[in-house]
Amino acid sequence: MTPADTSSYASSGNLGMMLLELQRHDSEIDALEYKRVTLPERVALGNMRDRIHEISRRAKELRAEKDAIRIKQDEMETQVNITVERKKSLEKKLYSGEVLSARDLEAMDAEAHNLTNRAEDLQDRQFELMEDLEALEAKYGDLEDELNQLSTKSDQLVSAAKSKLSDIDSQLRACRSLRKAAARRIPKAILQRYDAIRSRAGGTGAAALVEGKCSGCHLAVSPASLPSALPLFTDDDGLNICENCGRFLVSG
Ligand SMILES: [Zn+2]
């Protein structure tokens, strides 16, 4: 593009103003997009998902531990029943009068005594298993309570996030529409240069000159490059370029 092509913009200073307007829309769009991805509710939901994942993992472990205890309880119950039955059977024989040998009677009595002790040991073990199971049930219950609370909180966050996102998206649509209209008024070649500068200069392609400083890099602009000294630092399109950061520099 030759200076003649843009003379109507440059001579009136309108092109610079248009670039600043475009920059305002772009900055607003960038800020809204940043707000969209850093929404506190989104971050909180991410953390919450991590906790829910941890709870699910722990709950699975607890279910496996509970199942293992129940299996042991069943085994213990079977052993208790067998022991009690053996003892009853032995006592029945012992007191039936069928066994007359004192030695045999003594041996049977000793075995009955052992069976009583074994049944008691097994019952103690059953009681311990019941206590272990109760402790696990309590832990499992706590996890379920926490999960329910997280679920309620998560629903609230999702609802709040949806509302905020809808608001941001509506602002973004309005900003993009304004940006499109502003971009249409700028010659294509300059727009491409602006976009290229913007992408390499942290989102700012055009900056205002404020009190002798470029508002893009915040550095003082040498007097030689100020508008009064133009066209020393004016490019081919009749636009000022900041000597420090290379952004379009627009004086008010
Ligand atoms: Zn600058």
Side-chain angles (χ1 to χ4, degrees):
M1 183 166 289
T2 64
D5 291 326
T6 58
S7 58
S8 60
Y9 303 100
S11 61
S12 62
N14 278 352
L15 186 54
M17 287 299 131
M18 284 176 191
L19 282 171
L20 277 190
E21 186 194 344
L22 190 66
Q23 181 63 64
R24 272 196 298 277
H25 295 315
D26 277 333
S27 297
E28 201 169 347
I29 289 168
D30 287 349
L32 285 167
E33 283 174 344
Y34 180 75
K35 196 174 169 186
R36 202 179 195 288
V37 295
T38 57
L39 212 60
E41 287 80 2
R42 198 190 282 264
V43 176
L45 277 168
N47 294 336
M48 204 169 281
R49 264 194 293 274
D50 290 345
R51 180 59 190 151
I52 287 172
H53 181 73
E54 171 62 19
I55 290 176
S56 303
R57 190 193 60 75
R58 184 66 189 125
K60 192 177 170 187
E61 285 177 358
L62 286 178
R63 278 197 298 275
E65 287 176 44
K66 287 198 296 179
D67 287 346
I69 288 183
R70 288 196 184 102
I71 289 170
K72 279 186 193 167
Q73 281 182 316
D74 288 346
E75 289 170 357
M76 213 59 72
E77 183 70 24
T78 304
Q79 286 185 42
V80 167
N81 289 339
I82 290 171
T83 308
V84 168
E85 285 308 310
R86 277 184 63 192
K87 188 182 164 224
K88 275 185 192 168
S89 165
L90 195 68
E91 284 174 343
K92 194 176 171 187
K93 203 174 173 186
L94 188 62
Y95 301 119
S96 67
E98 291 170 13
V99 181
L100 299 172
S101 155
R103 196 172 163 181
D104 288 347
L105 286 169
E106 195 178 331
M108 286 169 74
D109 190 49
E111 191 183 348
H113 186 69
N114 285 341
L115 287 169
T116 301
N117 287 342
R118 173 157 171 74
E120 282 174 3
D121 286 347
L122 288 169
Q123 280 159 354
D124 285 348
R125 183 71 191 117
Q126 273 186 312
F127 186 73
E128 285 169 13
L129 286 173
M130 200 175 70
E131 283 185 326
D132 290 348
L133 190 62
E134 279 173 2
L136 287 177
E137 294 284 10
K139 282 184 191 171
Y140 195 79
D142 288 345
L143 286 181
E144 279 188 325
D145 287 348
E146 189 180 349
L147 198 58
N148 286 336
Q149 285 168 8
L150 285 175
S151 176
T152 305
K153 180 81 180 155
S154 167
D155 289 346
Q156 290 168 347
L157 284 171
V158 167
S159 170
K162 271 186 183 169
S163 163
K164 284 189 182 178
L165 285 176
S166 163
D167 187 39
I168 291 172
D169 287 346
S170 132
Q171 289 181 59
L172 269 173
R173 277 193 297 277
C175 282
R176 285 185 179 132
S177 168
L178 288 171
R179 200 266 181 204
K180 208 172 170 181
R184 265 201 298 268
R185 293 197 292 272
I186 297 170
K188 199 176 170 189
I190 293 180
L191 193 60
Q192 284 172 346
R193 284 181 58 199
Y194 162 85
D195 284 335
I197 298 171
R198 211 173 94 75
S199 69
R200 69 162 170 76
T204 304
L209 176 69
V210 181
E211 294 174 357
K213 284 183 181 176
C214 164
S215 60
C217 61
H218 306 290
L219 294 175
V221 176
S222 69
S225 70
L226 289 176
S228 57
L230 292 178
L232 200 60
F233 280 81
T234 304
D235 69 0
D236 289 346
D237 291 313
L239 287 161
N240 272 4
I241 298 294
C242 172
E243 59 187 340
N244 301 308
C245 65
R247 294 179 172 104
F248 284 125
L249 191 58
V250 183
S251 59

